[in-house]
Amino acid sequence: MSDRALAVVPLVLTILAISATNSAAVTTERVAVAPPVAAATAVAPPVAPAATTPQAVPCPKAVAPKVKRSPRPTPPPAVPEHRVVGGDALATPGLVVPPDVPTPPKVTARSWLVADLDTGEVLGGCGPHEYATPASVQKLLLAATMLPRLDADETVTITREDLDIAPGSSAVGLLAGGRYRVRTLWLGLLLQSGNEAANALARLGGGPDGAAGGVRAMNEQARHLGALQTRAVTPSGLDAPGQFTSAYDLALIARACFSDPTFRRYALTERTRIPGQKALRGKGFEIQNENQLIYRYPGALGGKTGFTDYARHTYVGAAERDGRRLVVTLLGAEPRPQRGWEQGAALLDWGFALPRGSSVGRLVEPGEWDAPPATP
């Protein structure tokens, strides 16, 4: 019975119910009382206990050494509809796994998710819809957006604006005025996490507005994929105010990437050569893939590493075993006692050990959230 239905003259009683037969604890209920009647001894009717929000199940956590880090950025207000994308069970800051399955391994990541790339089944997660900063795993959203737009064989020129990245941040070593194939830029982005390559690819695919148009296209692509908690501000994932994602959103983005055979080929490339620039007196050099999963995990399909001081370590990795392809996403991890890719590998092992069909939700399909909500 609601307060609105009962209250004419607002009156609140506090009822202390003590059960002597079962030694139950004392509880306090806030209830509304019926309007006064002629009798002075009028008593409120019984009221059912108020519903309580289920307590989140704590995620298994590995103890990491304390580190000095910058304060975490303040996330945007939570949108209830966004927290249930993929299923109501995913709207928890804690652990969500199928019933009667082994406990997931302890990791330092603040949030994570394991999903099936083919069926879209979410096998489990920790705070799957909690906001976090992405670092360089945001480059996967750039890839999902721009790979279909750009010709890999086209030769393009790098500008000084492309090289405008944070001092000390990851770079391939491209030269202003240098001419490179788009394919080389993709390999520099995915193997070496080149931030100048990210700027160039966003500019090339951004139309008349250049890199700003590229970032706008990334956000449009995130919405198309159903990644409603993702907002890109930089194409590279370098920290910027208002830039966030979630473990669930990253799984949607990774699924789009791994559906592209060109991306799969780039992600498994162990090393490549950046060509020299004779006109600029620049020598060629070799780069190699920083994702240790492809060297050390049987069936690895590739992925992406990331780190900034705000985001800490972030990671996306995928692998195939017995005809089953799984992806893992991690946000806010520390590198000890295990590095990001090792935490991802442990969660992949856990996922592969679950029976097929195990699920706590699903990855929504691209375009599922494109249509505006129906008018009541």
Side-chain angles (χ1 to χ4, degrees):
M1 187 175 295
S2 68
D3 289 348
R4 184 178 295 179
L6 291 175
V8 174
V9 177
L11 181 60
V12 177
L13 295 180
T14 300
I15 302 174
L16 301 177
I18 305 176
S19 174
T21 58
N22 58 9
S23 301
V26 177
T27 59
T28 303
E29 298 279 339
R30 183 173 182 264
V31 298
V33 179
V37 293
T41 58
V43 179
V47 176
T52 57
T53 302
Q55 188 172 4
V57 177
C59 300
K61 288 290 184 182
V63 178
K66 290 185 178 180
V67 295
K68 186 177 181 180
R69 55 157 293 165
S70 301
R72 290 187 177 88
T74 302
V79 179
E81 292 84 356
H82 296 176
R83 292 180 60 80
V84 296
V85 174
D88 292 349
L90 303 181
T92 175
L95 182 68
V96 54
V97 297
D100 304 321
V101 303
T103 303
K106 293 181 179 180
V107 296
T108 62
R110 293 176 60 84
S111 59
W112 56 264
L113 183 135
V114 178
D116 190 304
L117 282 173
D118 297 309
T119 68
E121 293 165 323
V122 175
L123 279 62
C126 168
H129 279 298
E130 296 300 300
Y131 282 111
T133 45
S136 283
V137 293
Q138 180 149 292
K139 293 179 171 77
L140 296 182
L141 178 57
L142 178 65
T145 306
M146 298 303 175
L147 270 171
R149 297 185 178 208
L150 300 177
D151 180 357
D153 292 322
E154 182 182 358
T155 298
V156 297
T157 302
I158 298 300
T159 68
R160 293 193 179 278
E161 289 74 21
D162 295 334
L163 304 185
D164 184 14
I165 60 176
S169 65
S170 57
V172 183
L174 306 178
L175 299 177
R179 291 178 59 75
Y180 307 89
R181 286 188 177 184
V182 169
R183 177 185 294 105
T184 300
L185 301 187
W186 282 121
L187 290 168
L189 180 91
L190 296 173
L191 274 63
Q192 205 72 22
S193 204
N195 292 326
E196 82 274 46
N199 288 344
L201 290 164
R203 171 179 60 82
L204 293 168
D209 291 336
V215 171
R216 185 166 58 249
M218 290 169 66
N219 286 313
E220 291 168 357
Q221 176 73 349
R223 175 76 189 188
H224 174 67
L225 295 175
L228 307 183
Q229 294 177 298
T230 294
R231 179 170 178 259
V233 179
T234 66
S236 61
L238 285 171
D239 294 320
Q243 183 162 266
F244 289 95
T245 190
S246 68
Y248 178 87
D249 282 9
L250 278 179
L252 294 177
I253 294 164
R255 192 185 189 196
C257 287
F258 281 103
S259 69
D260 187 323
T262 301
F263 175 87
R264 295 198 300 270
R265 185 171 67 253
Y266 291 157
L268 277 178
T269 300
E270 294 187 7
R271 58 182 53 83
T272 193
R273 187 166 182 80
I274 304 299
Q277 302 294 311
K278 290 183 179 180
L280 302 173
R281 298 182 180 179
K283 295 182 178 180
F285 54 93
E286 187 175 89
I287 62 172
Q288 67 180 38
N289 202 317
E290 295 180 336
N291 182 11
Q292 292 296 310
L293 193 80
I294 70 169
Y295 307 111
R296 305 190 184 191
Y297 193 86
L301 299 173
K304 187 72 190 72
T305 60
F307 172 80
T308 67
D309 189 51
Y310 280 145
R312 306 310 295 166
H313 291 266
T314 60
Y315 185 71
V316 173
E320 183 172 7
R321 185 180 298 174
D322 299 326
R324 191 181 188 190
R325 299 192 309 157
L326 301 185
V327 64
V328 60
T329 63
L330 300 130
L331 290 162
E334 295 299 336
R336 291 185 291 169
Q338 287 183 312
R339 288 177 288 176
W341 77 266
E342 292 173 307
Q343 296 180 49
L347 287 166
L348 285 171
D349 282 343
W350 173 80
F352 281 122
L354 299 187
R356 291 178 184 270
S358 299
S359 174
V360 294
R362 68 184 182 92
L363 299 180
V364 296
E365 297 297 327
E368 194 170 327
W369 283 82
D370 282 353
T375 304

